[in-house]
């Protein structure tokens, strides 16, 4: 009996490991930097086209290739299959066929791919052709690189036609590159599609929290960015609305300016209190949307509902009765920078190692972001009134923080902005709520939405990029700049230790092993870019100094030696 249980436990563990490996393998990663004016390489194109082909595009009359293959193979529900594990044989079969069909397409064009798919799986040629024709259009536009021409024309003061801003996979019509991005009409946000997707993602977020804690979070802090909401037509905005339990309603001019309350019976859960910190870019682009979010919170706060089903009302009435606040103050939930100001500066002080206690990072976040965008009691709009105490108070109830990731191109260790925002707000919550919040990111990129904890996301990004030879060798092809990119990833990873304590020590150990303790690699990095190499060494020493990692004395000694030698060398070069 015992051994039976052991073996089934082992099988389950092996299954999980398989799942994790498949997740890393499936992750789309850049295998080099974009070179201005140069089109993507064929290999890169195949991966991208496979992702483009994995979504239905009703507006193009094109269906997702995996869905077509699933239908042809008699799989009853492709959507149900997406929720199965990667280890599912049917799923592997479908993914393999799709990859092969895209390979035929890249090699020999639309008709060969259509015929191959038909002969192998019986997918009707008339059904798959529109999808391959779409891929042909995308492939052609990937090759048509207008960047240098557009730059020269812009320098001459000529007009450059703008295009939509989005992720290529989400909307391939962002191509060709070399155009300006046009914004979206803020009154169109969130679109119906964005709302439908957001509902899915926000439900998955709440389910995950519930599974881990046995209750819903009473308050969530959300980070909203401008470009992301352009790309997704307001998915982040829609998530906030759905968490509150409301939907946007369009007025006679088709503008999303009104709110409709979703009844609790339909919602089937409490309304979550949401604290929204929006970037300066969001504030500039989406002024009416901020008013919509503020309106939503006010409406929800005034609903005559049980306090255990409406956390906004509960918190607002607590503040009015016990805290002596006015309704208009107690209901403030939309915060951003002061007018004309951008960013949190948390990234700068982390990069410059210019902080002593962690709490400083959260305090800085609040100092920069505590400007309320709301209304006064007479309904007049307030755009950027300093409201530090209100923000401190709103954050003190937060149990989870969250940001939506909407692009295949930029992940949480690629740039310092994710840790400055999501890390910054999480640290601010930690000191105000006296408990570290659960921190989540969503991956609404693949057809099946995925919610991950920050720790899981850091591990995934590290394995898929920083420690992946495909990724770092791709970077090293770019020489000096490539080493700088590797160093940036390490520094951004460190940012997640500083703001959120979310980096396992093994990650620093493996980074050290891969880039510094391997003599050949060390030599390559030193030859290509001793400056960035020295920063990397210093960052690892700092990770040790700050207690994020505890390597043995021998390793530390080697790092100190490297730092010293590099300092001499860099000085000589300067
Ligand atoms: C934004 O689009 O709002 C944004 C972009 C980069 C960094 C931070 C915010
Ligand atoms: Mg940098």
């Amino acid at each position: 009996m015992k051994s039976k249980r052991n073996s089934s436990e082992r099988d389950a563990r092996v299954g999980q490991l398989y799942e994790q490996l498949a997740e890393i393998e499936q992750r789309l990663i850049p295998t080099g930097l974009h070179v201005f004016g140069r089109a993507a390489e064929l290999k890169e194109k195949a991966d991208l086209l496979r992702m483009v082909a994995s979504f239905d595009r009703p507006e193009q009359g094109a269906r997702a290739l995996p869905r077509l293959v699933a239908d042809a193979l008699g799989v009853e529900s492709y959507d149900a299959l997406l929720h199965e594990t990667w280890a599912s044989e049917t799923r592997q079969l479908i993914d393999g066929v799709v990859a092969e069909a895209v390979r035929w397409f890249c090699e020999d064009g639309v008709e060969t791919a259509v015929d191959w798919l038909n002969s192998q799986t019986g997918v009707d040629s008339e059904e798959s052709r529109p999808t391959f024709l779409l891929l042909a259009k995308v492939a052609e536009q990937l090759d048509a690189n207008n960047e240098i021409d557009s730059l020269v024309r812009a320098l001459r003061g000529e007009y450059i036609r703008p295009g939509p801003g989005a992720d290529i996979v989400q909307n391939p019509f962002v191509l060709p590159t070399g155009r300006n991005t046009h914004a979206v009409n803020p009154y169109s946000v969130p679109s119906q599609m964005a709302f439908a997707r957001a509902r899915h993602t926000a439900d998955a977020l709440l389910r995950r929290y519930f599974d881990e804690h046995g209750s819903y979070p009473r308050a969530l802090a959300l980070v909203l960015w401008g470009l992301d909401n352009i790309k997704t037509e307001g998915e982040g905005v829609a998530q906030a609305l759905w968490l509150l339990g409301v939907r946007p309603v369009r007025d006679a001019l088709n503008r999303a300016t009104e709110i409709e309350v979703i009844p609790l019976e339909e919602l089937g859960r409490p309304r979550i209190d949401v604290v929204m910190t929006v970037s300066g870019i969001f504030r500039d682009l989406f002024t009416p949307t901020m008013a919509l979010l503020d309106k939503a919170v006010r409406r929800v706060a005034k609903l005559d509902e049980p306090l255990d089903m409406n956390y906004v009302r509960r918190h607002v009435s607590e503040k009015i009765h016990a805290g002596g606040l006015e309704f208009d103050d107690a209901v403030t939930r939309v915060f951003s920078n002061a007018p004309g100001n951008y960013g949190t500066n948390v990234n700068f002080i982390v990069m410059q190692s210019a902080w002593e206690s962690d709490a400083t990072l959260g305090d800085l976040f609040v100092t920069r972001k505590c400007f309320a965008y709301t209304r006064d009691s007479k309904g007049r709009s307030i755009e950027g009134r300093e409201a530090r105490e209100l923000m401190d108070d709103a954050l003190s109830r937060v149990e989870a923080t969250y940001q939506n990731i909407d692009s295949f191109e930029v992940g949480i260790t690629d740039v310092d902005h994710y840790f400055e925002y999501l890390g910054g707000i999480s640290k601010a919550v930690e000191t105000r709520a006296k408990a570290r919040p659960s921190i989540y990111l969503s991956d609404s990129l693949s057809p099946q939405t995925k919610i991950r904890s920050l720790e899981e996301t850091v591990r995934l990004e590290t394995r898929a990029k920083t420690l992946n030879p495909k990724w770092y060798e791709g970077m090293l092809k770019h020489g000096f700049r490539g080493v700088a990119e590797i160093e940036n990833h390490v520094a951004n990873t460190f940012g997640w230790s500083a703001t959120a304590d979310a980096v396992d020590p093994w990650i620093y150990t493996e980074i050290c092993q891969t880039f510094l303790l391997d003599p050949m690699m060390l030599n390559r990095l030193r030859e290509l870019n001793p400056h960035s190499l020295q920063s990397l060494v210093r960052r690892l020493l700092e990770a040790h100094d700050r207690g994020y990692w505890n390597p043995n004395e021998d390793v530390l000694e080697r790092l100190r030696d490297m730092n010293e030698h590099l300092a001499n060398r860099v000085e000589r070069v300067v």
Side-chain angles (χ1 to χ4, degrees):
M1 191 66 202
K2 190 160 179 239
S3 82
K4 204 168 183 186
R5 200 182 66 220
N6 282 350
S7 82
S8 71
E9 272 170 14
R10 192 199 55 201
D11 287 354
R13 185 76 197 115
V14 170
Q16 282 168 358
L17 277 175
Y18 184 90
E19 197 65 5
Q20 286 180 3
L21 285 173
E23 187 175 42
I24 298 165
E25 189 195 12
Q26 294 285 331
R27 194 98 174 148
L28 199 60
I29 58 161
T31 47
L33 295 167
H34 175 63
V35 178
F36 194 78
R38 193 188 293 167
E41 284 171 18
L42 191 67
K43 167 74 180 69
E44 242 169 89
K45 230 163 41 187
D47 287 341
L48 203 57
L49 293 176
R50 195 170 42 77
M51 290 306 298
V52 169
S54 63
F55 288 86
D56 285 321
R57 315 261 172 200
E59 69 289 357
Q60 302 294 316
R63 292 181 65 206
L65 283 186
R67 192 184 292 283
L68 288 175
V69 173
D71 282 356
L73 296 179
V75 173
E76 229 163 74
S77 165
Y78 172 65
D79 291 312
L81 186 70
L82 284 177
H83 293 285
E84 278 184 25
T85 64
W86 289 107
S88 139
E89 274 175 28
T90 318
R91 201 163 162 189
Q92 285 187 20
L93 174 70
I94 295 173
D95 288 342
V97 168
V98 169
E100 191 63 9
V102 171
R103 201 183 60 73
W104 278 111
F105 165 79
C106 288
E107 220 156 84
D108 209 29
V110 173
E111 290 311 318
T112 304
V114 167
D115 290 346
W116 182 85
L117 200 56
N118 177 266
S119 68
Q120 298 295 309
T121 61
V123 171
D124 188 336
S125 305
E126 297 314 309
E127 290 219 69
S128 69
R129 191 171 289 110
T131 308
F132 286 109
L133 285 172
L134 171 70
L135 293 191
K137 218 183 308 176
V138 175
E140 190 186 311
Q141 293 199 325
L142 276 168
D143 284 338
N145 188 300
N146 299 335
E147 291 165 3
I148 292 192
D149 188 42
S150 293
L151 176 66
V152 171
R153 287 188 25 231
L155 291 173
R156 280 201 217 107
E158 290 174 22
Y159 176 69
I160 313 291
R161 271 175 76 92
D167 184 89
I168 296 180
V169 176
Q170 282 187 11
N171 178 4
F173 297 97
V174 298
L175 296 169
T177 57
R179 296 188 290 177
N180 289 320
T181 300
H182 64 63
V184 289
N185 171 2
Y187 287 108
S188 71
V189 162
S191 69
Q192 268 183 0
M193 176 88 139
F195 195 76
R197 289 175 63 94
R199 187 178 159 160
H200 206 64
T201 312
D203 278 343
L205 171 66
L206 291 179
R207 214 167 27 246
R208 166 99 197 225
Y209 187 93
F210 195 96
D211 287 347
E212 285 179 356
H213 300 83
S215 61
Y216 290 107
R218 275 165 301 169
L220 257 163
L222 251 62
V223 172
L224 295 175
W225 283 356
L227 295 174
D228 293 31
N229 279 281
I230 291 180
K231 288 179 186 172
T232 60
E233 298 178 341
E235 232 172 275
V237 172
Q239 288 168 357
L241 296 176
W242 181 254
L243 291 165
L244 288 164
V246 300
R247 55 169 68 91
V249 174
R250 288 171 189 266
D251 63 17
L253 297 174
N254 198 29
R255 305 177 312 168
T257 52
E258 294 303 323
I259 290 298
E260 177 185 280
V261 172
I262 300 164
L264 283 175
E265 308 81 70
E266 187 184 333
L267 208 57
R269 56 151 172 96
R271 300 184 195 281
I272 312 298
D273 190 351
V274 280
V275 185
M276 293 157 271
T277 23
V278 316
S279 70
I281 298 179
F282 185 107
R283 174 207 55 209
D284 294 350
L285 293 170
F286 290 107
T287 309
T289 316
M290 290 169 81
L292 183 75
L293 292 167
D294 181 58
K295 187 184 253 183
V297 179
R298 286 163 180 272
R299 276 290 290 286
V300 169
K302 286 189 169 162
L303 293 172
D304 185 11
E305 289 175 339
L307 297 182
D308 62 350
M309 288 303 283
N310 182 333
Y311 298 148
V312 183
R313 177 175 151 83
R314 173 160 140 191
H315 297 149
V316 169
S317 62
E318 274 169 14
K319 287 322 283 185
I320 293 172
H321 295 119
L325 284 191
E326 298 288 330
F327 177 81
D328 292 291
D329 285 337
V331 82
T332 303
R333 294 290 185 278
V334 184
F335 298 92
S336 187
N337 295 84
N341 252 307
Y342 301 85
T344 72
N345 292 356
V346 169
N347 46 341
F348 299 132
I349 65 167
V350 169
M351 290 304 170
Q352 289 158 16
S353 311
W355 86 101
E356 278 178 22
S357 117
D358 287 358
T360 318
L361 302 175
D363 293 346
L364 178 60
F365 182 90
V366 174
T367 303
R368 297 282 299 171
K369 287 282 171 191
C370 67
F371 294 80
Y373 288 74
T374 179
R375 311 205 140 248
D376 67 12
S377 58
K378 297 203 172 62
R380 290 174 300 211
S381 81
I382 295 171
E383 294 186 2
R385 185 190 63 194
E386 187 166 5
R388 190 176 182 110
E389 282 177 16
L390 297 182
M391 188 173 190
D392 281 341
D393 183 63
L395 294 180
S396 73
R397 290 181 295 265
V398 166
E399 296 181 310
T401 57
Y402 164 74
Q403 185 164 359
N404 185 42
I405 300 224
D406 65 8
S407 166
F408 282 99
E409 294 173 303
V410 186
I412 65 161
T413 55
D414 288 311
V415 292
D416 52 6
H417 300 303
Y418 283 108
F419 82 74
E420 81 164 301
Y421 274 84
L422 184 63
I425 198 166
S426 300
K427 185 55 78 181
V429 167
E430 183 179 328
T431 43
R432 284 152 187 79
K434 309 273 182 287
R436 183 182 181 279
S438 300
I439 311 172
Y440 300 104
L441 292 129
S442 62
D443 191 338
S444 58
L445 304 172
S446 37
Q448 74 280 38
T449 305
K450 186 107 193 188
I451 302 288
R452 294 191 184 87
S453 69
L454 173 61
E455 294 79 354
E456 288 165 353
T457 315
V458 171
R459 279 179 216 129
L460 178 59
E461 283 267 310
T462 304
R463 289 183 169 123
K465 290 183 186 160
T466 321
L467 294 175
N468 179 353
K470 270 195 194 158
W471 181 84
Y472 62 71
E473 289 298 344
M475 290 299 152
L476 289 174
K477 280 194 299 215
H478 298 275
F480 184 90
R481 183 65 225 163
V483 185
E485 282 298 317
I486 293 170
E487 188 273 323
N488 257 342
H489 273 72
V490 176
N492 294 332
T493 304
F494 172 91
W496 290 114
S497 283
T499 55
D501 193 18
V503 185
D504 303 332
W506 68 259
I507 290 179
Y508 292 111
T509 304
E510 289 296 315
I511 287 171
C512 182
Q513 194 66 43
T514 305
F515 298 109
L516 304 180
L517 300 184
D518 170 356
M520 298 258 280
M521 178 57 87
L522 181 68
N523 213 25
R524 284 171 74 193
L525 301 183
R526 193 189 291 118
E527 291 307 311
L528 292 171
N529 184 342
H531 301 267
S532 291
L533 175 60
Q534 188 184 18
S535 303
L536 200 162
V537 172
R538 287 186 170 172
R539 197 61 77 186
L540 288 185
L541 284 168
E542 186 183 359
H544 166 258
D545 289 343
R546 291 190 186 269
Y548 306 150
W549 175 51
N550 196 13
N552 65 38
E553 200 44 46
D554 175 49
V555 169
L556 277 176
E557 210 39 54
R558 287 174 71 178
L559 293 186
R560 290 190 193 112
D561 273 355
M562 275 177 214
N563 185 28
E564 212 168 286
H565 280 107
L566 284 161
N568 291 336
R569 180 184 166 125
V570 169
E571 240 166 56
R572 274 208 315 277
V573 173
V574 173

Coordinates of all heavy atoms in Angstrom, one line a residue, residues 154-203:
A154 N 11.6 61.1 -41.3 CA 11.2 61.8 -40.1 C 12.2 63.0 -39.9 O 11.8 64.1 -39.6 CB 11.2 60.9 -38.9
L155 N 13.5 62.7 -40.1 CA 14.5 63.7 -40.0 C 14.4 64.8 -41.0 O 14.7 66.0 -40.7 CB 15.9 63.1 -40.1 CG 16.3 62.1 -38.9 CD1 17.6 61.4 -39.2 CD2 16.4 62.9 -37.6
R156 N 13.8 64.5 -42.1 CA 13.5 65.5 -43.1 C 12.2 66.3 -42.8 O 11.8 67.1 -43.6 CB 13.3 64.9 -44.5 CG 14.6 64.5 -45.2 CD 14.4 64.4 -46.7 NE 15.1 63.3 -47.2 CZ 14.7 62.2 -47.6 NH1 13.4 61.9 -47.6 NH2 15.5 61.3 -48.1
G157 N 11.6 65.9 -41.7 CA 10.3 66.6 -41.4 C 9.1 66.1 -42.1 O 8.1 66.7 -42.2
E158 N 9.3 64.9 -42.8 CA 8.1 64.4 -43.5 C 7.2 63.6 -42.6 O 7.5 63.2 -41.5 CB 8.6 63.4 -44.6 CG 9.3 64.2 -45.7 CD 10.0 63.3 -46.8 OE1 9.5 62.1 -46.9 OE2 10.9 63.7 -47.4
Y159 N 6.0 63.4 -43.1 CA 4.9 62.7 -42.3 C 5.1 61.2 -42.4 O 5.4 60.6 -43.4 CB 3.6 63.0 -43.0 CG 2.4 62.3 -42.3 CD1 2.0 62.6 -41.0 CD2 1.7 61.3 -43.0 CE1 0.9 62.0 -40.4 CE2 0.6 60.7 -42.5 CZ 0.2 61.0 -41.2 OH -0.8 60.4 -40.6
I160 N 5.1 60.5 -41.2 CA 5.2 59.1 -41.1 C 3.8 58.5 -40.8 O 3.2 58.9 -39.7 CB 6.1 58.6 -40.0 CG1 7.4 59.4 -40.1 CG2 6.3 57.1 -40.1 CD1 8.3 59.1 -41.3
R161 N 3.2 57.7 -41.6 CA 1.9 57.2 -41.3 C 1.9 56.3 -40.0 O 2.8 55.4 -39.9 CB 1.4 56.2 -42.4 CG 0.7 57.0 -43.5 CD 0.4 56.0 -44.6 NE -0.7 55.1 -44.2 CZ -2.0 55.4 -44.5 NH1 -2.3 56.4 -45.2 NH2 -2.9 54.6 -44.1
P162 N 1.1 56.6 -39.1 CA 1.1 55.8 -37.8 C 0.4 54.4 -38.0 O -0.4 54.3 -38.9 CB 0.3 56.7 -36.8 CG -0.6 57.5 -37.7 CD 0.1 57.7 -39.0
G163 N 0.6 53.5 -37.1 CA 0.0 52.2 -37.1 C -0.5 51.9 -35.7 O -0.1 52.7 -34.7
P164 N -1.3 50.9 -35.5 CA -1.7 50.6 -34.1 C -0.5 50.1 -33.3 O 0.5 49.6 -33.8 CB -2.7 49.4 -34.3 CG -2.3 48.8 -35.6 CD -1.7 49.9 -36.5
G165 N -0.6 50.3 -31.9 CA 0.4 49.8 -31.0 C -0.1 48.5 -30.4 O -1.1 48.5 -29.8
A166 N 0.7 47.5 -30.5 CA 0.3 46.2 -29.8 C 1.4 45.3 -29.9 O 2.5 45.5 -30.5 CB -1.0 45.6 -30.5
D167 N 1.2 44.1 -29.3 CA 2.2 43.0 -29.4 C 1.9 42.4 -30.8 O 0.8 42.3 -31.2 CB 1.9 42.0 -28.3 CG 2.9 40.9 -28.3 OD1 3.9 41.1 -27.6 OD2 2.6 39.9 -29.0
I168 N 3.0 41.9 -31.5 CA 2.8 41.4 -32.8 C 1.9 40.2 -32.8 O 1.0 40.0 -33.7 CB 4.2 40.9 -33.4 CG1 5.1 42.1 -33.6 CG2 4.0 40.2 -34.7 CD1 6.4 41.7 -34.2
V169 N 2.0 39.3 -31.8 CA 1.1 38.1 -31.7 C -0.3 38.5 -31.5 O -1.2 38.0 -32.1 CB 1.6 37.2 -30.6 CG1 0.7 36.0 -30.5 CG2 3.0 36.7 -30.9
Q170 N -0.5 39.5 -30.6 CA -1.9 39.9 -30.4 C -2.6 40.6 -31.6 O -3.7 40.4 -31.9 CB -1.9 40.9 -29.2 CG -1.8 40.2 -27.9 CD -2.0 41.1 -26.7 OE1 -2.5 42.3 -26.9 NE2 -1.7 40.7 -25.5
N171 N -1.8 41.4 -32.2 CA -2.3 42.1 -33.4 C -1.2 42.3 -34.4 O -0.4 43.2 -34.4 CB -2.8 43.5 -33.0 CG -3.3 44.2 -34.2 OD1 -3.4 43.7 -35.3 ND2 -3.7 45.5 -34.1
P172 N -1.1 41.3 -35.4 CA 0.0 41.3 -36.4 C 0.0 42.6 -37.2 O 1.0 42.8 -37.9 CB -0.3 40.1 -37.2 CG -1.3 39.3 -36.5 CD -2.0 40.2 -35.6
F173 N -1.1 43.3 -37.2 CA -1.2 44.5 -38.0 C -0.4 45.7 -37.5 O -0.5 46.8 -38.0 CB -2.6 44.8 -38.4 CG -3.1 43.6 -39.3 CD1 -3.9 42.6 -38.7 CD2 -2.7 43.5 -40.6 CE1 -4.2 41.5 -39.4 CE2 -3.1 42.4 -41.3 CZ -3.9 41.4 -40.7
V174 N 0.3 45.5 -36.4 CA 1.3 46.5 -36.0 C 2.4 46.6 -37.0 O 3.1 47.6 -37.1 CB 1.9 46.3 -34.6 CG1 0.8 46.2 -33.5 CG2 2.7 45.0 -34.5
L175 N 2.5 45.6 -37.8 CA 3.6 45.6 -38.8 C 3.1 46.3 -40.1 O 1.9 46.4 -40.3 CB 3.9 44.1 -39.2 CG 4.5 43.3 -38.1 CD1 4.5 41.8 -38.5 CD2 5.9 43.7 -37.8
P176 N 4.0 46.9 -40.9 CA 5.5 46.8 -40.7 C 6.0 47.8 -39.7 O 5.3 48.7 -39.3 CB 5.9 47.3 -42.1 CG 4.9 48.2 -42.6 CD 3.6 47.6 -42.1
T177 N 7.2 47.5 -39.2 CA 7.8 48.4 -38.2 C 8.2 49.7 -38.9 O 8.1 49.8 -40.1 CB 9.0 47.8 -37.5 OG1 9.9 47.4 -38.5 CG2 8.6 46.6 -36.7
G178 N 8.7 50.6 -38.1 CA 9.2 51.9 -38.7 C 8.0 52.9 -38.9 O 8.0 53.7 -39.8
R179 N 7.0 52.7 -38.1 CA 5.9 53.7 -38.1 C 5.7 54.3 -36.7 O 6.2 53.7 -35.7 CB 4.6 53.0 -38.5 CG 4.6 52.5 -39.9 CD 3.3 52.0 -40.3 NE 2.9 50.8 -39.6 CZ 1.7 50.2 -39.8 NH1 0.8 50.8 -40.6 NH2 1.4 49.1 -39.2
N180 N 5.0 55.4 -36.6 CA 4.7 55.9 -35.2 C 3.5 55.0 -34.7 O 2.8 54.4 -35.5 CB 4.3 57.3 -35.3 CG 5.4 58.2 -35.6 OD1 6.5 58.0 -35.0 ND2 5.3 59.2 -36.4
T181 N 3.3 55.0 -33.4 CA 2.2 54.3 -32.8 C 1.1 55.3 -32.6 O 1.3 56.3 -32.0 CB 2.6 53.7 -31.5 OG1 3.7 52.8 -31.7 CG2 1.4 53.0 -30.8
H182 N -0.1 55.0 -33.1 CA -1.2 55.9 -32.8 C -1.9 55.3 -31.5 O -1.9 54.1 -31.2 CB -2.2 56.1 -33.9 CG -3.0 54.9 -34.3 ND1 -3.8 54.2 -33.5 CD2 -3.0 54.3 -35.5 CE1 -4.4 53.2 -34.2 NE2 -3.9 53.2 -35.4
A183 N -2.4 56.2 -30.7 CA -3.0 55.8 -29.4 C -4.4 55.3 -29.7 O -4.8 55.2 -30.9 CB -3.0 57.0 -28.5
V184 N -5.1 55.0 -28.7 CA -6.5 54.6 -28.9 C -7.4 55.8 -28.3 O -6.9 56.5 -27.5 CB -6.9 53.3 -28.2 CG1 -6.3 52.1 -28.8 CG2 -6.5 53.4 -26.7
N185 N -8.6 55.9 -28.8 CA -9.5 56.8 -28.2 C -9.8 56.4 -26.8 O -10.3 55.3 -26.6 CB -10.8 56.8 -29.1 CG -11.9 57.6 -28.5 OD1 -11.7 58.2 -27.4 ND2 -13.0 57.6 -29.2
P186 N -9.5 57.2 -25.8 CA -9.7 56.7 -24.4 C -11.1 56.4 -24.1 O -11.4 55.5 -23.3 CB -9.2 57.9 -23.6 CG -9.1 59.1 -24.5 CD -8.9 58.5 -25.8
Y187 N -12.0 57.0 -24.8 CA -13.5 56.7 -24.6 C -13.9 55.3 -25.1 O -14.9 54.9 -24.8 CB -14.4 57.8 -25.2 CG -14.3 59.1 -24.5 CD1 -13.7 60.2 -25.0 CD2 -14.9 59.2 -23.2 CE1 -13.6 61.4 -24.4 CE2 -14.9 60.4 -22.6 CZ -14.2 61.5 -23.1 OH -14.2 62.7 -22.5
S188 N -13.0 54.7 -25.9 CA -13.4 53.4 -26.4 C -12.9 52.3 -25.5 O -13.2 51.1 -25.7 CB -12.7 53.2 -27.8 OG -11.3 53.0 -27.6
V189 N -12.2 52.7 -24.4 CA -11.6 51.7 -23.5 C -12.5 51.5 -22.2 O -13.0 52.5 -21.7 CB -10.2 52.3 -23.1 CG1 -9.7 51.6 -21.8 CG2 -9.2 52.1 -24.2
P190 N -12.7 50.3 -21.8 CA -12.2 49.1 -22.4 C -13.1 48.6 -23.5 O -14.3 48.8 -23.4 CB -12.2 48.1 -21.2 CG -13.3 48.6 -20.3 CD -13.3 50.1 -20.5
S191 N -12.5 47.9 -24.5 CA -13.4 47.4 -25.6 C -14.1 46.1 -25.1 O -13.7 45.6 -24.0 CB -12.5 47.0 -26.8 OG -11.7 45.9 -26.4
Q192 N -15.1 45.7 -25.8 CA -15.8 44.5 -25.4 C -14.9 43.3 -25.3 O -15.0 42.5 -24.3 CB -16.9 44.2 -26.5 CG -18.2 44.8 -26.1 CD -19.3 44.5 -27.1 OE1 -19.0 43.7 -28.0 NE2 -20.5 45.0 -26.9
M193 N -14.0 43.2 -26.3 CA -13.1 42.1 -26.3 C -12.2 42.1 -25.0 O -12.0 41.1 -24.4 CB -12.2 42.2 -27.5 CG -11.2 41.2 -27.7 SD -11.8 39.8 -28.5 CE -10.5 39.4 -29.5
A194 N -11.7 43.3 -24.7 CA -10.8 43.5 -23.5 C -11.6 43.1 -22.3 O -11.1 42.4 -21.4 CB -10.3 44.9 -23.4
F195 N -12.9 43.4 -22.2 CA -13.7 43.1 -21.0 C -13.9 41.6 -20.9 O -13.7 41.0 -19.8 CB -15.0 43.8 -21.0 CG -15.7 43.8 -19.7 CD1 -15.3 44.7 -18.7 CD2 -16.7 42.9 -19.5 CE1 -15.9 44.6 -17.4 CE2 -17.3 42.9 -18.2 CZ -16.9 43.7 -17.2
A196 N -14.1 41.0 -22.0 CA -14.3 39.5 -22.0 C -13.0 38.8 -21.5 O -13.1 37.9 -20.7 CB -14.7 39.0 -23.4
R197 N -11.9 39.3 -22.1 CA -10.6 38.6 -21.7 C -10.3 38.9 -20.2 O -9.8 38.1 -19.5 CB -9.5 39.1 -22.6 CG -9.6 38.6 -24.0 CD -8.5 39.3 -24.8 NE -7.2 38.9 -24.4 CZ -6.4 37.9 -24.8 NH1 -6.9 37.2 -25.8 NH2 -5.2 37.7 -24.4
A198 N -10.6 40.2 -19.8 CA -10.2 40.6 -18.4 C -11.0 39.8 -17.4 O -10.5 39.4 -16.4 CB -10.6 42.1 -18.3
R199 N -12.2 39.4 -17.7 CA -13.1 38.7 -16.8 C -12.5 37.3 -16.5 O -12.4 36.9 -15.4 CB -14.4 38.5 -17.6 CG -15.5 38.0 -16.7 CD -16.7 37.9 -17.6 NE -17.5 36.9 -16.9 CZ -18.9 36.8 -17.0 NH1 -19.5 37.6 -17.8 NH2 -19.5 35.8 -16.4
H200 N -12.0 36.7 -17.6 CA -11.3 35.5 -17.5 C -10.1 35.5 -16.6 O -9.9 34.7 -15.8 CB -10.9 35.2 -19.0 CG -10.8 33.7 -19.3 ND1 -11.8 32.9 -19.3 CD2 -9.7 33.0 -19.7 CE1 -11.4 31.7 -19.6 NE2 -10.1 31.7 -19.8
T201 N -9.3 36.6 -16.9 CA -8.0 36.7 -16.2 C -8.2 37.0 -14.7 O -7.6 36.4 -13.8 CB -7.1 37.8 -16.8 OG1 -7.1 37.6 -18.2 CG2 -5.7 37.8 -16.3
A202 N -9.1 38.0 -14.5 CA -9.4 38.4 -13.1 C -10.0 37.3 -12.3 O -9.7 37.1 -11.1 CB -10.3 39.6 -13.1
D203 N -10.9 36.5 -12.9 CA -11.4 35.3 -12.2 C -10.3 34.3 -11.9 O -10.3 33.7 -10.8 CB -12.5 34.6 -13.1 CG -13.8 35.3 -13.0 OD1 -14.0 36.1 -12.0 OD2 -14.7 35.1 -13.9

